[in-house]
Amino acid sequence: MSESKEYSATAHKPSRPSSRVISALALSLGSLSLVASVILGDAPIVSAAAAHETPSAMETEKADGRPSVITTTEIIADLARHVAGERMFVKSLVPKGGDPHSFEPSLRDVRDIVYSDMAFTNYMLLEEQNLIRAIDANLPASAPNISLAEEASKYGANLIPLIENINLDTIWLGLRVRGSGKDLGMGRAAEVRLNASQVEGPGKLFGYVTGSFGTPELFFSPEGAARKAPGTSGGSGGVGAGYGQALLPMDAHMHMSWAFTKPGVYRLHLGAEIAQDSGDVAQDTGARGVVTFAVGVEPSTVLGGSGDGAASGAGAGASTGAATGGAKPTVLDIGHADISVNLDTGAIEIYGDDIEGRNNGNKAARSYEPSSTVISVPSKALADIPKESSFRFLGRAGEQVYQLPQAVLGKHVHGEIDPHLWHDVANAKAYVKIIRDVMSKTDRAGAQVYAANAQKYLQELDELDAHMRASIASIPEDRRYLVTTHDAYGYLANAYGLKVAGFATPNPGVEASVQDIKKLTQTLRDLHVPAVFLEPNLAVRSSQLSEIASTLGVRVCKLYGDAFDDQVSSYAQMMRANARSLSACLGGLKTSVLNNPITEKK
């Protein structure tokens, strides 16, 4: 069965004038406004200032009769060259070492666009808008104009949504009542009383709900608290000093915020009662459970009673580790989960996204046993305490707490989908298949050549993918933390088992704030991260990350993102260089090869 899919050749088709109609585009290039192109008859004509310049590469290739391909980045150009072979001329508008997020096209770039037979962009708001406008306004009407990232899902690519608030790139943890309670004689007016009897840990734990007008309702705290969950008709009072009570109606499902004042391991001891009515005396359900939180420390070693994470928890890890036989715990670090009272089984459980199912695109949920499960609260969850007086129970305004937030806030950096798809080799393969099909439809005489070239390259990419997995698998699991210049490596982490622990800024065009620097510094300290990674083309703009690393004695290593340099000139070279750098700097290789020339078999 053919892998070919139908691509949207007209999805980004510019609106072009008919023959012998004059069209011009004014581009703002800093303070300079240029007339980009004029179409007169069948021959493109550019401005008088450019008329006497030497022909562009595209003009030369057009004269020789070879089809020309324009791309926005060197990475896309390399993929296209592997498919095109010698039948097409391929050129990237963004030069080697350039940043597609900020690159502005020149008049010569516009001339190259005018003479191109097809264009491949990444888009999903990756490239600078003026670059996209230049392509859309000047590419010939007959030329395919393809956004690879937007077409890639049709070819099996895995797309990762961008979280609206960086702090929300954590698990969302709420409360829930499951089961009918029929065996207990409970009707729909019954309420469940989830009691927190104590907390073990190095600091204070708070559980609260922020209401519609921003006022917090406190459920769990060191002083004790009792609040009704939405839908309850009454209350039975608190459980005394520390640690609180939540009153939940039948079938309740409620989002919460959780805050922790210090890094370390916390254990929240819970029990459940149930009453037929809010005013009735409650009966004990017998449900008991201890929910474990790893706050700012490595979660995978917590229940085994070894490693820095367990040590940070004030010695609380030994008993639970014994209960699990020293087995590695299930770590819940993203998605949605609830601390649940199951009335049918008489148990307190954690009910949330099925981790394995989620990785396979399945949104099913399942139950987790608290004694073998750890809730991860990473250092990137650090947040300033709000200035409003209603939040003084957390501490002074401006101080920081680790927070699992309740709601989605903030703004997108690139859009709804992370546009850096190529850091997962499987997604780069999807790009290659799209390029193959577009070239084959545009130049049908060369279809067999493009198919053969693509098949050969796809096999090379399979080998590259296996190499990436083996290299990163050599890194100890508790050292697979990725701290980078900006937020561009979600696909790399998701595909190869790394964890994005932090970055200097969400966007390379934005300077790191004081808050960004404070969070990043705390992350490096808490997780004992051995290295941070800078993109070569953004190193000059990443002084904050280098300074933090220098202060903490952390190694600074190279990691390629959006662009090549003098050492790396192909996608495969870039990915292999990244694999070597990650392994060497995070402890996966016995000896460093970072200073060796980067080579690739041709």
Side-chain angles (χ1 to χ4, degrees), residues 263 379 382 402 518-527:
S379 290
L382 277 168
Y402 295 79
K518 287 169 65 177
K519 285 186 179 182
L520 200 53
T521 302
Q522 193 64 43
T523 293
L524 296 176
R525 284 175 176 155
D526 289 348
L527 295 177

Side-chain angles (χ1 to χ4, degrees), residues 75 419 558:
I75 293 171
K558 182 187 292 187

Side-chain angles (χ1 to χ4, degrees), residues 58 68-81 89-95 103 109 113 116 118-122 127 131 135 146 148 435 439:
M58 291 300 186
S68 299
V69 181
I70 204 75
T71 73
T72 48
T73 72
E74 275 288 323
I75 293 171
I76 297 174
D78 180 59
L79 302 182
R81 290 184 187 113
F89 174 75
V90 181
K91 181 185 177 184
S92 169
L93 292 172
V94 180
F103 177 78
D109 293 326
I113 296 168
S116 296
M118 68 184 69
F120 294 106
T121 65
N122 189 84
E127 295 96 342
L131 179 56
I135 293 172
I146 308 300
L148 293 171
I435 293 168
M439 288 183 175

